[in-house]
Amino acid sequence: MSTEQLVKRYMRSAMGAVAAGLTLFSLMGSAQMASAQSAYDESAPLADLTPEKYRETGVLAVGTQPDFEPANFTPIGEDGVRGYNIDIMEAMAAKLGLDVEWSRVPFDQLLIGMQSKKFDAAIAGMTDRKSRQETVDFLDYMSVGSVFMVAKGNPKGIGSSVNENCGITVGDVKGSDAKRLVDLMAAACEAEGKEPTTLISFPNSSDKNLALTSGRVDTMIWPDMAVSVLLREVGDVIEPMPIDFEPRVFLGITFNKTESELRDAMLEALGAIHEDGTYDEILSKWDVEAVALDDYGINLAKE
């Protein structure tokens, strides 16, 4: 066989291999596309309400800060997220035929992430406030009260009233609703010519808990329904004190204000898990029935 014939045979073989590879690649791509499309469950109870762009992926991207048991947390030695917020969100998404893809985000970055559309929704026990409604929409799904957590025996003399805590330091997570309460206390103290209450912010709940137990702050604000979890975590060295100037507040799932179609679909999904008992089952599973909100809705906070 001549050199020219060998070259031709080689070229035919190479072209055949390329063609086969392209065919295989095409088949793999089609399979991956089909897999992505099949992730959307069109037989789900409320699948017809799911916005088209989410049907294409079958996935809802959700942000949370997984450091607050029992709401949203990553257990030691695990990689995933757990908690009643996780269960509620996944149950709602399933009603729309969607899976949830979780993003771990610092609490103070959740609203920023919503505005920049880094994710489609966020759930992390965020308090619904009128000021926050200017930038995001809230789907209010539960209600909580707050307490002061203080060192055992309350050696700092922390009081329940707005003007009883002049000059103390309050620890909380950066970006939380605690600043509003501390500002109320500070204003009441300054009106009486006393040293104002001050807030010291920490990146996560574990850091603020350590700050209290080590004496770096005098108190911290904590949801009333999660006191037992905190005591189990840090031991019998702290105790709750009531806050008599803070009414119960709404906690909401947040959405970008341009995503009203998704927000409204999720509202229907929340109604569905209330109706079939899933909502109550989740709260019972995590022993947080106290946060149940039957009169759920969108942007319920009036101040």
Side-chain angles (χ1 to χ4, degrees):
M1 183 178 295
S2 66
T3 301
E4 182 179 355
Q5 289 174 319
L6 286 171
V7 170
K8 287 181 178 180
R9 174 174 292 186
Y10 172 80
M11 291 298 295
R12 283 197 299 269
S13 298
M15 291 176 65
V18 170
L22 288 173
T23 300
L24 178 60
F25 179 81
S26 177
L27 289 172
M28 290 173 63
S30 298
Q32 290 171 348
M33 184 178 297
S35 175
Q37 291 173 343
S38 66
Y40 166 65
D41 181 6
E42 60 185 15
S43 68
L46 300 178
D48 60 326
L49 299 180
T50 305
E52 186 60 36
K53 71 177 184 179
Y54 299 104
R55 299 185 192 191
E56 293 175 0
T57 63
V59 172
L60 190 68
V62 181
T64 192
Q65 179 172 353
D67 75 334
F68 187 69
E69 186 182 353
N72 24 265
F73 66 104
T74 296
I76 296 174
E78 297 185 20
D79 295 325
V81 289
R82 297 183 60 200
Y84 62 77
N85 277 338
I86 308 305
D87 291 348
I88 286 174
M89 177 60 77
E90 292 184 346
M92 292 169 62
K95 293 294 185 183
L96 299 174
L98 302 174
D99 291 328
V100 176
E101 181 179 88
W102 292 100
S103 294
R104 295 171 173 81
V105 185
F107 191 86
D108 64 321
Q109 296 297 307
L110 287 172
L111 291 180
I112 296 173
M114 286 309 316
Q115 291 174 270
S116 63
K117 296 189 176 183
K118 182 178 181 180
F119 29 80
D120 306 313
I123 184 169
M126 182 168 289
T127 306
D128 180 3
R129 295 292 178 195
K130 287 293 289 185
S131 58
R132 287 173 170 171
Q133 292 173 15
E134 295 175 4
T135 54
V136 296
D137 281 333
F138 284 83
L139 171 51
D140 297 319
Y141 65 106
M142 56 182 52
S143 168
V144 300
S146 299
V147 295
F148 289 123
M149 296 303 301
V150 302
K152 193 75 172 180
N154 193 17
K156 298 288 186 177
I158 306 300
S160 299
S161 300
V162 68
N163 61 345
E164 285 189 87
N165 300 305
C166 303
I168 69 164
T169 55
V170 179
D172 216 288
V173 175
K174 185 179 180 181
S176 77
D177 195 49
K179 183 179 184 303
R180 187 184 59 82
L181 298 183
V182 172
D183 286 347
L184 288 175
M185 291 187 283
C189 291
E190 290 179 323
E192 297 179 2
K194 300 177 180 177
E195 186 179 355
T197 311
T198 58
L199 175 68
I200 300 177
S201 297
F202 298 92
N204 55 58
S205 292
S206 297
D207 286 346
K208 85 168 181 179
N209 298 349
L210 179 60
L212 176 61
T213 56
S214 65
R216 291 173 57 200
V217 297
D218 299 321
T219 186
M220 66 183 185
I221 296 168
W222 196 261
D224 54 4
M225 55 78 189
V227 169
S228 61
V229 174
L230 178 61
L231 294 178
R232 186 172 73 245
E233 179 180 329
V234 305
D236 189 29
V237 296
I238 58 176
E239 61 186 12
M241 288 285 298
I243 296 177
D244 66 9
F245 58 95
E246 168 68 357
R248 294 185 70 82
V249 295
F250 297 115
L251 302 185
I253 302 168
T254 55
F255 299 88
N256 187 287
K257 295 189 78 68
T258 65
E259 293 287 345
S260 58
E261 189 178 4
L262 173 62
R263 179 203 66 194
D264 293 346
M266 292 293 279
L267 173 62
E268 294 298 322
L270 178 58
I273 67 170
H274 268 270
E275 186 174 346
D276 69 10
T278 302
Y279 179 87
D280 290 334
E281 290 174 4
I282 292 171
L283 298 191
S284 177
K285 167 187 172 181
W286 293 99
D287 193 24
V288 290
E289 293 94 330
V291 303
L293 178 64
D294 293 328
D295 297 325
Y296 52 87
I298 295 171
N299 295 332
L300 298 180
K302 303 304 179 186
E303 59 180 46

